[in-house]
Amino acid sequence: MMQPIRSALVSVYYKDRLEPLIRVLAQHGVQLYSTGGTQKFIEELGVPVTAVESLTGFPEVFGGRVKTLHPTVFGGILHRRHEATDVAQAAEHQIPPIDLVIVDLYPFEETVASGAAEADVIEKIDIGGISLLRAAAKNYRDVLVVSSRDQYEAVTTLLTEKQGATDLADRRDYAAAAFEATSHYDTHIFQYLSQGTTQHGAALKVSQKPATPLRYGENPHQQGTFYGDLSALFDQLHGKQLSYNNLVDVDAAVLLMQEFQADGPAACAILKHTNACGVAQAGSLHEAYLNALACDPVSAFGGVIIVNQVVDAATAGELNKLFFEVLIAPDFAPDALPVLQSKKNRILLRQKPVAFPQKQIKTLLNGIIEQDFDKVVEGAHEFRTVTESAPTAEEVAALEFALKICKHTKSNTIVLARAGQLLASGVGQTSRVDALRQAIEKAKAFGFDLQGAVMASDAFFPFPDCVEIAGEAGIRAVVQPGGSIKDQDSIAAANQLGMAMVLTGVRHFKH
């Protein structure tokens, strides 16, 4: 059913991109109603416009908090043109129909993100705008609603092609978009006011946009979409579009590198299928990368690499010898970037500082599970020595380093390391003994001598076998959470082998 637009209410926060749409409406003789700054904008275009207060007979009050909340405005939007009673009441109360509503919402999310004071944030909770959108969307049988400046160009084209009219399918589509906008808006207000708690009805409310379709999901037969603003976190300087699997690995890489501060030693991590296959710290980024690569150059092929310092030319030259999918860095030296851009599909990401969500969310069965991010990092101050021998200062540094990697590795996991270098890890095993044996075999395969190395475990040892196997391999110090009813058996085994063991009291399962 084609519906000509004869009148429109225009009240927007952002005026950019609005002019072409206003001029198309003017060309079709549409009666425009507006408020405040939008009214002034339209007048400066030389287009006739009527102030809403002239329509309602009531001025804006309370500093603009109330201007469109009036029966004349909402009656003009909500009355049903096909209902004789509605039409008669509109005529009786001199309520003219409003066929088009163009409204965007106050920038609530942007104001929160800016760190503004609470009073300023509250003032950006839109009341009139969101009510207008909901009213127009509800009555989409008769009214077209435009809820974002991102729609202006498409609506301008639509009205040009259809000579100032729309059909029911058009209005329904834009109504759905309006309710998406209001739902997203209310979700972020709820999250701000509840401060991340779920006490009000214990409901999980999440709304992320924009939506970016991916080539496919985890496998080619699965569809995939990313919801969120990657441009807020990365500048992509080169390469193809990030895939679903790229994004999963990039997420793991970014979270791991958060353990290594930018103002500390140069650090490099190489990940494959979300697990680190190489991690190192050194006096230079070039050295850190080479040490990380040495851990497992086979698995590094096709992986994701992340560093905590600017990539210089020397490091770029070494990186360029390896096939990898993604490189993430805080920046790239001018003479390093062309070297790395020599491979067409290689993805180069410059990471920006950004706050991450406080919660992790995952679909499960017929619902969703949520948890806090694991932000706990145990250092030497949390280590409790339980053996006759205490770890040396160098071993303590190695244990701290190993524990950072262990925290971000799939369970069951064992990490073998020296201070500043991952030697090997056993990941995702159903047995902790298997994880340890896998780590030992990998370390030997790549030429590492485990004499004097350290071991980290993501959970306690239920039996002393892991300590015994590690001791036979040359491991001299162990860090684990403790908490097993047989802790003393593992401690006794460590004492017998002359090993040092510290407990943290914190488990780091990662499923």
Side-chain angles (χ1 to χ4, degrees), residues 123-141:
E123 283 308 306
K124 289 299 186 291
I125 297 178
D126 205 318
I127 302 301
I130 209 160
S131 301
L132 291 166
L133 291 180
R134 289 178 61 84
K138 176 177 180 176
N139 201 25
Y140 68 84
R141 188 183 189 280

Side-chain angles (χ1 to χ4, degrees), residues 251-274:
D251 174 70
V254 168
L255 294 178
L256 172 57
M257 191 50 65
Q258 283 187 323
E259 309 290 353
F260 301 95
Q261 298 300 318
D263 57 358
C268 175
I270 307 172
L271 289 88
K272 196 72 171 288
H273 303 307
T274 74

Side-chain angles (χ1 to χ4, degrees), residues 366-404:
N366 64 340
I368 294 170
I369 54 175
E370 176 196 70
Q371 68 172 356
D372 297 333
F373 266 99
D374 183 0
K375 293 186 175 182
V376 175
V377 181
E378 306 85 63
H381 293 298
E382 289 79 31
F383 290 174
R384 180 168 66 91
T385 301
V386 292
T387 48
E388 295 167 358
S389 298
T392 65
E394 184 178 358
E395 287 169 346
V396 167
L399 291 171
E400 289 180 315
F401 178 81
L403 205 53
K404 291 177 180 180

Side-chain angles (χ1 to χ4, degrees), residues 4 25 55 86 106 112-113 139 147 160 169 178 190 200 233 264 290 399 404 445 469-470 478-479 482:
L25 294 173
L55 178 66
D86 284 12
Y106 293 161
V112 172
N139 201 25
S147 53
T160 300
F190 166 78
H200 301 291
L233 179 58
L290 290 177
L399 291 171
K404 291 177 180 180
I469 295 168
V478 181
V479 59

Side-chain angles (χ1 to χ4, degrees), residues 335-371:
D335 55 351
L337 202 53
V339 175
L340 295 167
Q341 290 174 326
S342 63
K343 303 292 174 63
K344 179 182 177 182
N345 291 325
R346 178 183 286 164
I347 299 169
L348 303 178
L349 302 176
R350 180 167 56 207
Q351 186 177 346
K352 307 174 187 177
V354 67
F356 287 93
Q358 301 298 306
K359 302 285 186 178
Q360 288 179 305
I361 298 169
K362 182 179 180 180
T363 58
L364 191 73
L365 299 174
N366 64 340
I368 294 170
I369 54 175
E370 176 196 70
Q371 68 172 356

Side-chain angles (χ1 to χ4, degrees), residues 8 37 61 70 90 99 120 205 212 237 248 270 313 316 321 327 457 509:
V61 292
H70 193 279
D99 305 318
D120 295 325
K205 296 183 183 296
T212 304
L237 305 180
V248 173
I270 307 172
K321 299 174 184 177
L327 173 61
S457 175
F509 271 159

Side-chain angles (χ1 to χ4, degrees), residues 78-411:
L78 282 166
H79 84 266
R80 294 159 291 188
R81 279 62 158 174
H82 61 286
E83 290 284 348
T85 302
D86 284 12
V87 173
Q89 285 184 335
E92 177 187 354
H93 297 289
Q94 298 182 324
I95 298 175
I98 296 174
D99 305 318
L100 167 64
V101 172
I102 304 173
V103 171
D104 61 5
L105 300 172
Y106 293 161
F108 179 82
E109 283 182 80
E110 294 88 337
T111 305
V112 172
S114 73
E118 182 168 325
D120 295 325
V121 172
I122 297 304
E123 283 308 306
K124 289 299 186 291
I125 297 178
D126 205 318
I127 302 301
I130 209 160
S131 301
L132 291 166
L133 291 180
R134 289 178 61 84
K138 176 177 180 176
N139 201 25
Y140 68 84
R141 188 183 189 280
D142 299 307
V143 180
L144 175 67
V145 58
V146 178
S147 53
S148 167
R149 56 181 167 173
D150 293 333
Q151 298 172 336
Y152 293 168
E153 183 177 355
V155 173
T156 301
T157 301
L158 175 71
L159 296 180
T160 300
E161 292 175 349
K162 295 187 175 180
Q163 282 128 26
T166 60
D167 60 35
L168 186 60
D170 298 326
R171 298 191 295 277
R172 187 186 180 98
D173 284 347
Y174 280 93
F179 279 117
E180 187 280 322
T182 61
S183 171
H184 179 84
Y185 197 78
D186 282 341
T187 294
H188 283 269
I189 295 172
F190 166 78
Q191 290 174 340
Y192 175 79
L193 293 177
S194 66
Q195 298 297 316
T197 67
T198 55
Q199 59 190 6
H200 301 291
L204 174 66
K205 296 183 183 296
V206 178
S207 184
Q208 289 287 341
K209 57 183 183 180
T212 304
L214 304 173
R215 296 195 300 276
Y216 49 80
E218 204 162 10
N219 299 290
H221 62 275
Q222 297 169 269
Q223 291 185 339
T225 306
F226 176 79
Y227 295 92
D229 184 9
L230 278 177
S231 65
L233 179 58
F234 300 116
D235 291 322
Q236 183 164 346
L237 305 180
H238 188 69
K240 61 187 177 182
Q241 178 192 16
L242 285 158
S243 69
Y244 181 100
N245 290 334
N246 288 155
L247 288 167
V248 173
D249 285 331
V250 165
D251 174 70
V254 168
L255 294 178
L256 172 57
M257 191 50 65
Q258 283 187 323
E259 309 290 353
F260 301 95
Q261 298 300 318
D263 57 358
C268 175
I270 307 172
L271 289 88
K272 196 72 171 288
H273 303 307
T274 74
N275 291 306
C277 56
V279 183
Q281 287 181 291
S284 70
L285 190 59
H286 180 262
E287 183 183 1
Y289 166 67
L290 290 177
N291 289 346
L293 180 64
C295 178
D296 187 348
V298 175
S299 296
F301 183 87
V304 169
I305 304 174
I306 187 166
V307 298
N308 69 341
Q309 294 188 1
V310 176
V311 177
D312 55 67
T315 307
E318 291 293 341
L319 284 161
N320 199 46
K321 299 174 184 177
L322 177 71
F323 169 73
F324 59 86
E325 289 277 347
V326 185
L327 173 61
I328 309 161
D331 211 343
F332 299 83
D335 55 351
L337 202 53
V339 175
L340 295 167
Q341 290 174 326
S342 63
K343 303 292 174 63
K344 179 182 177 182
N345 291 325
R346 178 183 286 164
I347 299 169
L348 303 178
L349 302 176
R350 180 167 56 207
Q351 186 177 346
K352 307 174 187 177
V354 67
F356 287 93
Q358 301 298 306
K359 302 285 186 178
Q360 288 179 305
I361 298 169
K362 182 179 180 180
T363 58
L364 191 73
L365 299 174
N366 64 340
I368 294 170
I369 54 175
E370 176 196 70
Q371 68 172 356
D372 297 333
F373 266 99
D374 183 0
K375 293 186 175 182
V376 175
V377 181
E378 306 85 63
H381 293 298
E382 289 79 31
F383 290 174
R384 180 168 66 91
T385 301
V386 292
T387 48
E388 295 167 358
S389 298
T392 65
E394 184 178 358
E395 287 169 346
V396 167
L399 291 171
E400 289 180 315
F401 178 81
L403 205 53
K404 291 177 180 180
I405 302 167
C406 194
K407 172 184 168 183
H408 293 273
T409 306
K410 289 292 180 67
S411 300

